[in-house]
Amino acid sequence: MKSPYNEKVMDHFMNPRNVGEIENPDGVGKVGNPACGDIMEMFIKIEDDVIVDAKFKTFGCGAAIATSSMATELIKGKSVEEAIELTNEKVTTALGGLPKVKRHCSVLAEQALQSALHDYYEKKGIPSPIKLKTEEEMHEDEE
Ligand code: FES
C-alpha cells in the first residue's frame, strides 16, 4: 500500500529531530487532542530573547511526531516574536504537505509551541501576548 505521507514527513517521523526534554526549560507546553488521545509536550530554552534549544515528547501518531520535529527545527535560532508567528500551516508547508485528515496533528504542534511560549512569558512575569486556543478553536482550525 502506498504511504499517504511524502518522504520528508516520513523522514521526520522515522528520524525525529530534537526528541527529549530540556532540564530547567524557560518554557514548557503540553497539549492533548481529546479526539484521538494524542499528547504533545514541548520544551524551550531562551537566551536574550532567542530560542537556543527546543525539544519535544510526543505520544501520538506519525504526523504528530513529524510536525513536532519540524516545529522545533523551525524555531531554533529564532526570536520569541518570530516563533509566535509559527502556524500549523507553516509547519505543514515546511514538511511538503500532510494528508487532509492529518491536519489536526499539525494544530497540536502549533499549540504545544504556543503553550510553551505562553509559559515563558508567565515565568518571566510579563503579560503574555499569546491567547491559547480552546479545544473548540483547535477543532475549527482543523477544517
Ligand atoms: Fe492524534 Fe495525529 S491522530 S495527533
Side-chain angles (χ1 to χ4, degrees):
M1 190 180 121
K2 193 177 172 298
S3 168
Y5 300 111
N6 68 39
E7 269 179 36
K8 207 165 190 176
V9 176
M10 283 308 288
D11 178 37
H12 277 266
F13 167 47
M14 302 296 278
N15 311 292
R17 318 325 188 242
N18 313 309
V19 172
E21 266 182 56
I22 294 176
E23 259 185 65
N24 303 317
D26 295 304
V28 186
K30 188 174 184 180
V31 291
N33 184 325
C36 64
D38 290 351
I39 295 169
M40 195 180 287
E41 206 168 0
M42 207 166 277
F43 307 83
I44 48 176
K45 194 88 195 153
I46 296 169
E47 281 170 22
D48 295 329
D49 201 42
V50 172
I51 298 176
V52 291
D53 201 8
K55 291 202 185 302
F56 76 91
K57 290 200 296 189
T58 292
F59 306 92
C61 73
I65 291 168
T67 50
S68 12
S69 168
M70 181 54 89
T72 52
E73 283 288 272
L74 290 172
I75 58 166
K76 282 210 281 186
K78 297 268 164 42
S79 70
V80 172
E81 287 72 23
E82 286 171 316
I84 290 173
E85 301 296 319
L86 188 70
T87 59
N88 68 309
E89 281 93 1
K90 288 180 187 167
V91 175
T92 304
T93 302
L95 281 169
L98 277 174
K100 200 167 178 287
V101 291
K102 287 288 169 183
R103 252 183 80 81
H104 70 275
C105 317
S106 65
V107 176
L108 207 58
E110 173 200 277
Q111 287 304 297
L113 171 62
Q114 295 288 313
S115 170
L117 292 166
H118 184 74
D119 183 49
Y120 164 70
Y121 279 105
E122 289 210 320
K123 281 194 168 101
K124 283 191 78 167
I126 302 172
S128 171
I130 297 164
K131 192 181 164 296
L132 296 174
K133 287 181 180 159
T134 61
E135 275 175 19
E136 289 74 33
E137 286 167 332
M138 279 173 72
H139 279 305
E140 282 163 20
D141 274 9
E142 292 161 14
E143 278 141 30

